[in-house]
Amino acid sequence: MEQQNARYQSIEHLHRQLEEKERELEELRYQFEEARETIDAIRNGQIDALVVEGKDGHQLYTLQTADRTYRVFIEKMTEGAVTLSQQGIILYANTQFANMVKYPLSSVIGLSFDQFITPKAISQYRELFQNCWNADAKGEVYLLCDGDKIPVQLSLTTLELQDGLALSIIITDLSFQKTIQEQLRQRNEQLEIINRALEISNHDLQQFASVASHDLQEPVRKILIFSHLLRENLDLLSPDSIKYVEKIIESSTRMKRLIIDILSYSRLSANDFGIEEVNLNDVTRELLEDFDLQIEEKNARIIVTNLPLVQGNKGQLRQVFQNIISNALKFVKTDVQPIISISGKRIATKSFNSREDPGGDFALITFEDNGIGFDEIYLSKVFALFDRLNSKDKYEGTGIGMSIAKKIIDKHNGLITASSKEGAGATFKIILPLRHTPS
């Protein structure tokens, strides 16, 4: 019985000891949580002073307002931030840096910063560390991050603390930037490969077009010669045969013109692009002399106002003007005097909506006629290769002329457009830079 009572007393004593230890543990937990909250409050700038109980009673420790603002700013930064001693030991680090290196924040303080630098970058970091005490420095290194490495930029500057000089380092993660740079590098390499392939392809196409056009012109030339010989001997031909010969001559002429236009279009892809000062007034005057018979035949009235000087390829620009004027003389109304107006002015920007500016860097040239016009729903076809808006039986042509004009204007870094209404004439507008810049 006495033994049993002694056992009960012993168990009760152990229970009391256990309860006392649990209370002590709870008190320690409370103190730890209070300390953690205090540290977080200090870090986040939520408090400006601390009252600490010491041997000599309670003492007040104030935190400067500037320090508070600095701590809040540093803690909220998306970059990592550390403060190092002159020996390279981390005195302070923000949460972002701890996240970058995947270390608990409490474990970072007191470590040497260079242990977070990859071996290959350590010499570069040490050079930065040595030089930055004399002047601010920046450099790119790689940080160790849980077995991986991340590219960062270090921005180093010295700080004057109460205990002496220290070093502040801002760490910017360059991972995204490096990824984009690598993607751009790969894309540039792919573009270079594609461009080389296109250059080869364009050269081959130009060679093919040149050879094909030359080889095609010879049989067409012979067809035209023999057809004309047949037409000169009409007494040997029946009326039907005469009609067939005329059809052969007409088709052969159109084929010859088509071959020449294809060759002209293919040559526009070549890089030989001579630039000179081009007086568009002279170009227009020369063309009107060439069209003299056609203008007289159709009793056309041509109105030309002063056109600006531009830099470009005179032969190509002449071809643009020729194609547009030729169309204006071709697509005229029956029993209506054709009137063609060609005007120019300087504008401020490369836009058809730009304001007029006598000192502008661009020229706007406008061609207006009172011909048959076209429905603007077909505007996309005007500059398309081989597309025609009118029957080839009624209006001669290959459908390449305005495609050639657009390609020439594109090569001059300009713009071309058209507007019209069916039966109400057409307007073509061209914008050219006054000074040519390579595309």
Side-chain angles (χ1 to χ4, degrees), residues 40 77 89 93 108 113 159 162 195 198 200 202 206 230 234 240 290 302 304 312-314 317 330 341 349 399 421 427:
D40 286 343
M77 282 174 55
I89 303 301
V108 171
F113 184 76
L159 294 174
Q162 290 182 352
N195 284 336
L198 282 173
I200 295 171
N202 283 338
Q206 289 165 27
L230 281 173
L234 295 179
D240 284 343
D290 292 344
I302 315 295
V304 182
N313 184 291
K314 184 176 180 179
L317 291 176
K330 183 191 307 179
S341 172
T349 61
K421 287 184 180 178
T427 299

Side-chain angles (χ1 to χ4, degrees), residues 14-287:
L14 288 173
H15 274 298
R16 284 196 299 271
Q17 285 185 327
L18 181 59
E19 289 174 357
E20 186 178 345
K21 295 298 182 186
E22 286 179 348
R23 283 194 298 272
E24 291 176 359
L25 180 59
E26 187 63 30
E27 179 65 22
L28 287 172
R29 283 176 178 163
Y30 174 78
Q31 292 176 3
F32 175 77
E33 185 64 24
E34 187 180 47
R36 188 184 65 78
E37 290 178 356
T38 301
I39 292 171
D40 286 343
I42 293 171
R43 176 178 293 278
N44 295 321
Q46 296 172 1
I47 60 176
D48 284 322
L50 291 174
V51 177
V52 180
E53 185 178 0
K55 292 186 296 181
D56 300 327
H58 292 83
Q59 293 181 330
L60 177 66
Y61 291 88
T62 60
L63 304 173
Q64 294 180 7
T65 303
D67 291 341
R68 174 181 182 275
T69 305
Y70 175 76
R71 290 195 309 278
V72 173
F73 174 73
I74 293 297
E75 193 60 30
K76 299 296 183 183
M77 282 174 55
T78 55
E79 288 90 356
V82 296
T83 302
L84 306 184
S85 69
Q86 296 187 49
Q87 291 73 41
I89 303 301
I90 299 174
L91 305 176
Y92 167 84
N94 69 351
T95 304
Q96 181 63 22
F97 175 73
N99 292 337
M100 291 171 88
V101 295
K102 295 185 179 179
Y103 259 62
L105 183 58
S106 58
S107 301
V108 171
I109 308 300
L111 297 177
S112 175
F113 184 76
D114 61 7
Q115 76 178 65
F116 296 106
I117 307 296
T118 60
K120 287 186 178 180
I122 194 68
S123 60
Q124 185 180 355
Y125 162 70
R126 286 175 177 166
E127 183 178 351
L128 286 170
F129 184 80
Q130 181 179 358
N131 295 336
C132 70
W133 298 100
N134 299 319
D136 292 352
K138 283 187 178 181
E140 292 184 13
V141 298
Y142 282 89
L143 281 188
L144 289 169
C145 175
D146 196 23
D148 294 330
K149 61 179 183 178
I150 56 174
V152 297
Q153 176 179 273
L154 303 183
S155 301
L156 304 91
T157 187
T158 55
L159 294 174
E160 185 72 45
L161 302 181
Q162 290 182 352
D163 296 333
L165 276 180
L167 182 65
S168 172
I169 303 181
I170 302 300
I171 303 103
T172 305
D173 190 341
L174 300 179
S175 299
F176 179 74
Q177 180 180 332
K178 293 294 185 182
T179 300
I180 297 299
Q181 288 176 350
E182 177 61 21
Q183 289 176 354
L184 286 174
R185 187 191 63 79
Q186 292 177 2
R187 293 287 173 84
N188 286 336
E189 287 183 354
Q190 292 171 1
L191 283 174
E192 287 179 7
I193 293 171
I194 292 171
N195 284 336
R196 282 196 295 271
L198 282 173
E199 287 175 4
I200 295 171
S201 177
N202 283 338
H203 178 73
D204 291 344
L205 284 172
Q206 289 165 27
Q207 292 294 104
F208 171 77
S210 179
V211 171
S213 298
H214 180 272
D215 290 348
L216 285 170
Q217 284 186 71
E218 183 59 25
V220 171
R221 188 178 66 83
K222 288 182 178 178
I223 292 172
L224 281 170
I225 290 172
F226 291 125
S227 298
H228 281 293
L229 288 174
L230 281 173
R231 192 169 61 176
E232 289 172 3
N233 295 276
L234 295 179
D235 53 332
L236 301 177
L237 301 174
S238 66
D240 284 343
S241 297
I242 294 172
K243 182 174 68 175
Y244 297 149
V245 169
E246 292 294 340
K247 289 288 186 183
I248 291 171
I249 292 173
E250 183 181 312
S251 297
S252 299
T253 302
R254 191 162 59 248
M255 172 64 80
K256 181 180 180 181
R257 190 161 49 245
L258 181 61
I259 292 170
I260 293 171
D261 283 350
I262 291 174
L263 185 58
S264 298
Y265 188 84
S266 69
R267 283 173 176 166
L268 290 176
S269 298
N271 291 324
D272 49 336
F273 191 66
I275 299 300
E276 59 182 306
E277 195 84 0
V278 181
N279 188 326
L280 297 179
N281 296 291
D282 293 343
V283 169
T284 306
R285 185 171 55 255
E286 291 170 7
L287 283 171

Side-chain angles (χ1 to χ4, degrees), residues 347-364:
I347 56 177
T349 61
K350 185 180 172 181
S351 168
F352 290 110
N353 297 319
S354 174
R355 62 179 172 83
E356 184 174 358
D357 181 1
D361 294 327
F362 298 90
L364 173 63

Side-chain angles (χ1 to χ4, degrees), residues 373-382 389 418-422:
F374 60 88
D375 193 324
E376 284 195 5
I377 62 173
Y378 302 113
L379 181 59
S380 61
K381 290 187 174 184
V382 171
L389 302 186
S419 59
S420 180
K421 287 184 180 178
E422 197 167 359

